[in-house]
Amino acid sequence: MLTQPHSKPEPDWQKIVRLLRWNKPAGRLILMLPALWAVFLGAHSREAGSLPPLPLVGVIVLGSLATSAAGCVVNDLWDRDIDPHVERTRDRPLASRTLTIQTAIVVVLVAFACAGILALYLNLLSFLLCIAAIPFIVLYPLAKRVFPLPQLVLSLNWGFAVLISWSAVTGTLSLPAWLLWGAVVLWTLGFDTVYAMPDRDDDRRMGVNSSALFLDKWVADGVGLFLLGTTALLAATGVILALNGWFWGAWAIATLGWIWQYTQLKRRRVLPTLFGRIFRQNVWLGFVLLAGMILGAAG
């Protein structure tokens, strides 16, 4: 009688990679992008056509990776008893009980320590903003239980990437920094509301809040308004910083992409695969905008 070969157990390091979501780079890149937008535009605002110091760019990149890693682990620690009941999250290491809480706590402390060490490279204002961001990272999962728009808390968390990076290169926060911050907050509200849409049935059953549930039948229009605000604030930023045609070309591509996303969400029948596709598309649009910002500030 033939026996089925046993599947090889997943090693702990692979579980930790999944805990940190490093097996899904889109979510890590979409936090890194606003930080890079800010550091390049901030350098241009200080001196037209200038670029940020390369070591600072490296610190921003590594800092965003460490911060997003910490945020993912904190989220999974909070949600370890909810995630097993949600289709999309039931296989996460803490939800499936394949990784211990003690291991996750060690990992999150290491991630925060790495972020803290990197923050020491920054100026005082940026360092204080890093400290101010910690409650938003830690309390976002709690917001899903008590606040009807938890994605707003996440969006404010994303906004710190702009404020920290801009102040790191300029030492201050000028009007364009706040315009870019507003654009990122609204952009995050848009794409994360879309990200929450396939979880609506599970979230409703578990009593978890989300902007997708709060907006109900107006969710597509809500996303459309968030993205409209994003494109308007990005345009205002480009005007004030006198960015050239490269930026406006990237801005037009992003705007057309967001219009397409809105029209797809407004269709009578929406395939479940659309939500993930829109989320990933926003990563690519973010890179298009980054390229436009770098080239748009060059001359």
Side-chain angles (χ1 to χ4, degrees), residues 30-31 34 133 136-137 140 143 147 149-163 180-194 211 226-227 230:
I30 212 164
L31 174 62
F136 289 86
I137 298 171
Y140 162 65
F147 185 53
L149 276 173
Q151 275 70 23
L152 178 59
V153 179
L154 180 71
S155 299
L156 293 173
N157 197 357
W158 245 248
F160 274 103
V162 170
L163 303 181
L180 186 63
W181 172 83
V184 167
V185 168
L186 290 175
W187 183 48
T188 308
L189 267 172
F191 70 68
D192 206 59
T193 297
V194 173
S211 54
F226 297 147
L227 296 179
T230 301

Side-chain angles (χ1 to χ4, degrees), residues 75 78-79 137-147 150 209:
N75 182 82
W78 275 99
D79 290 353
I137 298 171
V138 173
L139 296 179
Y140 162 65
L142 176 62
K144 292 186 288 187
R145 294 159 170 81
V146 299
F147 185 53
N209 296 312

Side-chain angles (χ1 to χ4, degrees), residues 174-221:
S174 56
L175 176 59
W178 290 107
L179 291 173
L180 186 63
W181 172 83
V184 167
V185 168
L186 290 175
W187 183 48
T188 308
L189 267 172
F191 70 68
D192 206 59
T193 297
V194 173
Y195 191 73
M197 288 174 72
D199 296 340
R200 282 175 291 188
D201 291 340
D202 289 329
D203 287 345
R204 189 180 292 110
R205 176 168 48 83
M206 296 299 299
V208 176
N209 296 312
S210 78
S211 54
L213 286 176
F214 179 78
L215 293 170
D216 197 23
K217 63 183 179 181
W218 297 283
V219 64
D221 293 323

Side-chain angles (χ1 to χ4, degrees), residues 108-119:
V108 77
L109 290 176
V110 170
F112 273 127
C114 290
I117 291 170
L118 290 165

Side-chain angles (χ1 to χ4, degrees), residues 8-188:
K8 188 176 180 180
E10 182 183 24
D12 284 347
W13 70 266
Q14 286 187 359
K15 298 173 189 174
I16 292 172
V17 166
R18 290 197 297 113
L19 179 71
L20 299 173
R21 311 282 202 280
W22 285 352
N23 60 319
K24 297 180 178 180
R28 314 292 66 75
L29 294 173
I30 212 164
L31 174 62
M32 187 187 303
L33 283 164
L36 292 175
W37 293 356
V39 76
F40 280 98
L41 291 184
H44 173 72
S45 73
R46 188 178 59 178
E47 182 181 349
S50 66
L51 294 174
L54 188 58
L56 177 60
V57 175
V59 167
I60 295 299
V61 168
L62 293 176
S64 69
L65 289 174
T67 304
S68 64
C72 288
V73 182
V74 168
N75 182 82
D76 285 9
L77 282 167
W78 275 99
D79 290 353
R80 64 187 182 275
D81 293 326
I82 293 176
D83 285 344
H85 305 284
V86 178
E87 177 68 28
R88 181 176 56 85
T89 60
R90 62 181 49 169
D91 292 329
R92 288 176 176 176
L94 291 180
S96 60
R97 306 301 194 257
T98 58
L99 203 63
T100 66
I101 295 173
Q102 291 79 3
T103 300
I105 291 173
V106 171
V107 171
V108 77
L109 290 176
V110 170
F112 273 127
C114 290
I117 291 170
L118 290 165
L120 294 175
Y121 179 85
L122 307 176
N123 58 45
L124 179 60
L125 175 57
S126 299
F127 181 81
L128 292 176
L129 287 166
C130 290
I131 299 298
I134 293 174
F136 289 86
I137 298 171
V138 173
L139 296 179
Y140 162 65
L142 176 62
K144 292 186 288 187
R145 294 159 170 81
V146 299
F147 185 53
L149 276 173
Q151 275 70 23
L152 178 59
V153 179
L154 180 71
S155 299
L156 293 173
N157 197 357
W158 245 248
F160 274 103
V162 170
L163 303 181
I164 292 167
S165 299
W166 191 288
S167 62
V169 74
T170 67
T172 187
L173 292 172
S174 56
L175 176 59
W178 290 107
L179 291 173
L180 186 63
W181 172 83
V184 167
V185 168
L186 290 175
W187 183 48
T188 308

